[in-house]
Amino acid sequence: ETEKKTMKVIAKSNNLKPQELYQMANGNDIKRMRDVAGQTLDLAGWLIFEDEKPDGEISTIVTVRTTEGEMYATNSPTFRRSFESMTAFFESVDAIKVVSATSKKGRPFITCDYVER
């Protein structure tokens, strides 16, 4: 018998219904955040959660839902730290710019910047 993998919500925007949160954690139409690097996303809501992979490793994921209904997710620690910082400083995060950069060791990564709306 296999153990059921667990999911734990760390933080979320206040304006989302349980059905939307479920879709943001489990939806099949979630796209990769790095695929929209360079773009500004107008946010309808967001979710930060921990998910246990089949091998037992815990991954922290940030999923955003745009005002157009698109969902994007990433497990990038750099993106997550920037996003969590924004949610600590601003009452609501209505838009972000997804930023692609390269580390000192030459590895590509993504992060995000706050966008005033």
Side-chain angles (χ1 to χ4, degrees):
E1 187 178 330
T2 58
E3 282 188 50
K4 185 176 184 290
K5 66 178 186 169
T6 56
M7 191 204 88
K8 181 174 120 188
V9 173
I10 297 172
K12 61 186 181 356
S13 55
N14 295 325
N15 57 333
L16 296 170
K17 299 178 179 125
Q19 301 92 316
E20 291 172 309
L21 290 168
Y22 177 81
Q23 282 299 319
M24 291 172 74
N26 299 290
N28 293 322
D29 53 351
I30 299 170
K31 298 174 178 78
R32 296 182 315 186
M33 193 78 71
R34 70 173 165 238
D35 291 345
V36 290
Q39 295 182 37
T40 296
L41 305 177
D42 290 309
L43 304 186
W46 55 268
L47 170 67
I48 302 171
F49 66 100
E50 284 182 348
D51 197 19
E52 186 177 332
K53 296 179 184 177
D55 65 4
E57 184 183 337
I58 302 292
S59 181
T60 303
I61 300 168
V62 177
T63 304
V64 299
R65 184 183 194 101
T66 68
T67 53
E68 293 85 32
E70 298 286 329
M71 292 181 287
Y72 299 96
T74 183
N75 62 356
S76 160
T78 307
F79 185 98
R80 186 182 80 241
R81 281 191 297 274
S82 295
F83 193 80
E84 285 175 333
S85 179
M86 277 184 237
T87 63
F89 279 92
F90 300 101
E91 191 172 311
S92 97
V93 177
D94 299 320
I96 59 168
K97 180 170 184 176
V98 181
V99 178
S100 178
T102 305
S103 73
K104 291 176 185 155
K105 294 182 178 179
R107 292 192 192 108
F109 68 94
I110 60 169
T111 187
C112 58
D113 287 333
Y114 179 80
V115 175
E116 188 79 44
R117 285 289 194 233

